[in-house]
Amino acid sequence: MSITELVAQRATCTRRFVGAILVRDKHIITTGYNGAPSGTKHCLEVGCLRDQLAIPSGERHELCRGLHAEQNAIIQAALHGTSVAGATLYCTTLPCVICSKMLINARISEVYYREGYADTLSRDLMAEAGIPLYQLG
């Protein structure tokens, strides 16, 4: 988790710094942090749309310039032609429902996270898919 915390320091979100690492066979496959897509302005430069619209955390995920750390980790693996099937996700925050759906379809085997997230549907879908969630203190 300490490496995940280090990755989170690269985040360009003004609300929270999230880092994610996908690991298989004790090797880091890929990392991701939350921030705007490549080639676009970061929220640090243009401000936070979610703050401007007073959107609470855990709601209206589509109203954001940024990608989540988990999404960026999956995308980086895809760009390099690396499957993440069977990998373990370590993330500073419990994945949201959108990320959970992606992780389920990417065939992630388990998730370790540090802090919770206000998204009960995420937990429900992960449980239904048989993906265990472990909160680390």
Side-chain angles (χ1 to χ4, degrees), residues 35-50:
S38 298
T40 66
K41 292 182 179 177
H42 297 289
C43 299
L44 294 172
E45 299 172 84
V46 298
C48 176
L49 176 62
R50 295 176 63 77

Side-chain angles (χ1 to χ4, degrees), residues 8-117:
Q9 292 177 16
R10 299 199 62 206
T12 60
C13 176
T14 59
R15 283 184 144 191
R16 71 173 54 211
F17 292 83
V18 180
I21 298 175
L22 288 170
V23 176
R24 189 174 45 234
D25 300 325
K26 299 183 181 182
H27 290 93
I28 295 172
I29 300 171
T30 186
T31 66
Y33 55 88
N34 57 327
S38 298
T40 66
K41 292 182 179 177
H42 297 289
C43 299
L44 294 172
E45 299 172 84
V46 298
C48 176
L49 176 62
R50 295 176 63 77
D51 280 346
Q52 293 164 11
L53 298 174
I55 299 170
S57 182
E59 297 179 15
R60 304 292 313 267
H61 299 288
E62 76 280 6
L63 294 176
C64 179
R65 294 182 66 82
L67 291 148
H68 288 188
E70 305 93 323
Q71 294 168 345
N72 273 324
I74 293 169
I75 291 166
Q76 283 302 308
L79 284 172
H80 295 286
T82 303
S83 172
V84 297
T88 297
L89 174 75
Y90 292 87
C91 193
T92 56
T93 304
L94 176 71
C96 73
V97 67
I98 294 170
C99 290
S100 292
K101 291 186 282 188
M102 293 176 73
L103 294 165
I104 291 165
N105 277 358
R107 298 190 182 130
I108 299 304
S109 63
E110 59 188 349
V111 174
Y112 290 85
Y113 67 97
R114 180 148 332 223
E115 61 183 73
Y117 191 68

